[in-house]
Amino acid sequence: MAKDSSNTFAKAKLLKFSGNKGLLNEQIGGKDRFDFIKFNLTQRSSFVARLNKLKAKANLLLLGSNSQRIGRSAQSGIKPENITATLDAGQYVLKVTGTKQSTRYRLRLTQTPDLSPTPIPTPTPGSTPTPMPNTAPVLSTNTGVTLLKGTSATLNGNLLRATDAEQQSLMYSLTQLPVAGKLKLNGTDLSVGQTFSQDDINSGRLSYLNSGGIRQLTNNDKNDYNPQISGSNAVWYGSDGTDDEIYFYNGSTITQLTNNDKNDYDPQISGSNAVWSGYDGTDYE
């Protein structure tokens, strides 16, 4: 089929909302491999794009006004593609990517305006303002995601969301690295101590890559023995070059727990607590 006029970002076709919904029926594939569809949001909204009615494979990509990627859906086969995000007011572009095989598709957009935060009342002149209560954040959504090794997923507000009555956007701090993958912000690996916001999550800037469940903790010319694990913590004993000592891993770093001239061995672990056997110079304790 011949290419249409909306096959570039600059010439994206405008899809207008009727109420809170927008609908487009189109065709893609063959020589026409890309469709770009732009839309406008007049206020901050929860946004859903659904691509279905497919007879051949097609992918869906959500882009900002500067062509930066916000969200992506690439299901296998002809399964429907879905992108969910919380977007600020502005113009956005959806990119539909087809294959050599042509297919009709239906693109349905839905916007749900966010409720404005409750305004803080203006105190009466001469009165003492009532202090606002400081409530703890509430983790309202934490569904998790299941991934095959080598695949990644965008972590959006449907998977992880926390709210706070006093703040519009909360900050998260990474306290421990994932055991079997990498957490990324805008495509860059996050390390312990770095932060990201609820806005980053809602806008699809946070992602997780499952790089597999095996991590080599030690790499030396000594033997390490009897590893024990509890959650993301591990303990074992190995030679420090003179005698056997106890080593502890907390999910990100390795700490040598003992450092003496006696042998320590057979460690056990429960949570972050560890015990082991050792020679005190007279007998084994």
Side-chain angles (χ1 to χ4, degrees), residues 131-137 164-167:
M132 295 294 291
N134 185 16
T135 57
D164 190 304
E166 291 78 52
Q167 301 182 62

Side-chain angles (χ1 to χ4, degrees), residues 175-213:
T175 60
Q176 183 173 301
L177 292 177
V179 175
K182 297 179 179 179
L183 195 63
K184 297 174 177 285
L185 181 62
N186 289 323
T188 301
D189 294 353
L190 287 172
S191 57
V192 172
Q194 290 188 296
T195 61
F196 53 91
S197 68
Q198 185 66 53
D199 282 342
D200 289 327
I201 298 171
N202 296 342
S203 299
R205 293 189 284 267
L206 190 71
S207 62
Y208 176 75
L209 170 65
N210 181 0
S211 56

Side-chain angles (χ1 to χ4, degrees), residues 25 46 74 85 95-96 126 194 211 215 227 246 276:
N25 291 296
S46 297
K95 179 182 179 182
V96 182
Q194 290 188 296
S211 56
R215 177 182 297 176
I246 304 297
W276 58 89

Side-chain angles (χ1 to χ4, degrees), residues 21-282:
K21 296 182 178 180
L23 183 64
L24 175 68
N25 291 296
E26 259 295 354
Q27 185 171 346
I28 197 170
K31 294 182 179 180
D32 181 20
R33 299 290 290 274
F34 306 107
D35 278 352
F36 290 84
I37 302 98
K38 61 184 177 182
F39 61 93
N40 296 307
L41 297 179
T42 58
Q43 59 184 306
R44 181 177 172 85
S45 302
S46 297
F47 171 79
V48 179
R50 180 175 175 82
L51 184 73
N52 62 357
K53 304 292 185 181
L54 298 171
K55 301 298 182 183
K57 171 65 177 170
N59 294 336
L60 187 61
L61 190 66
L62 175 61
L63 306 170
S65 59
N66 295 322
S67 74
Q68 73 274 22
R69 191 173 85 171
I70 298 174
R72 179 175 182 265
S73 179
Q75 298 288 339
S76 60
I78 59 174
K79 293 180 180 179
E81 306 291 348
N82 296 279
I83 294 178
T84 301
T86 299
L87 304 176
D88 292 325
Q91 187 172 90
Y92 299 88
V93 175
L94 286 162
K95 179 182 179 182
V96 182
T97 303
T99 65
K100 294 181 180 180
Q101 183 178 352
S102 298
T103 178
R104 300 289 300 179
Y105 67 82
R106 174 176 292 177
L107 179 63
R108 184 186 298 274
L109 310 185
T110 304
Q111 60 167 340
T112 304
D114 280 0
L115 297 176
S116 300
T118 303
I120 301 174
T122 302
T124 304
S127 66
T128 301
T130 302
M132 295 294 291
N134 185 16
T135 57
V138 176
L139 185 62
S140 56
T141 304
N142 186 18
T143 60
V145 63
T146 301
L147 294 173
L148 297 176
K149 180 180 178 181
T151 62
S152 62
T154 298
L155 306 182
N156 56 38
N158 287 337
L159 299 174
L160 179 60
R161 182 183 293 273
T163 58
D164 190 304
E166 291 78 52
Q167 301 182 62
Q168 293 187 7
S169 181
L170 293 172
M171 296 298 296
Y172 297 78
S173 178
L174 185 61
T175 60
Q176 183 173 301
L177 292 177
V179 175
K182 297 179 179 179
L183 195 63
K184 297 174 177 285
L185 181 62
N186 289 323
T188 301
D189 294 353
L190 287 172
S191 57
V192 172
Q194 290 188 296
T195 61
F196 53 91
S197 68
Q198 185 66 53
D199 282 342
D200 289 327
I201 298 171
N202 296 342
S203 299
R205 293 189 284 267
L206 190 71
S207 62
Y208 176 75
L209 170 65
N210 181 0
S211 56
I214 298 177
R215 177 182 297 176
Q216 182 175 344
L217 299 183
T218 62
N219 185 14
N220 52 49
D221 58 356
K222 309 293 189 302
N223 290 321
D224 299 303
Y225 302 98
N226 195 31
Q228 304 292 317
I229 189 169
S230 179
S232 59
N233 299 324
V235 68
W236 65 93
Y237 74 94
S239 175
D240 65 353
T242 303
D243 53 17
D244 289 332
E245 306 291 354
I246 304 297
Y247 296 87
F248 178 81
Y249 173 72
N250 67 359
S252 60
T253 58
I254 296 175
T255 302
Q256 183 175 334
L257 297 184
T258 62
N259 186 14
N260 51 50
D261 58 357
K262 308 294 189 300
N263 286 319
D264 300 299
Y265 60 95
D266 290 344
Q268 300 293 318
I269 186 171
S270 177
S272 59
N273 299 314
V275 296
W276 58 89
S277 298
Y279 186 68
D280 66 358
T282 303

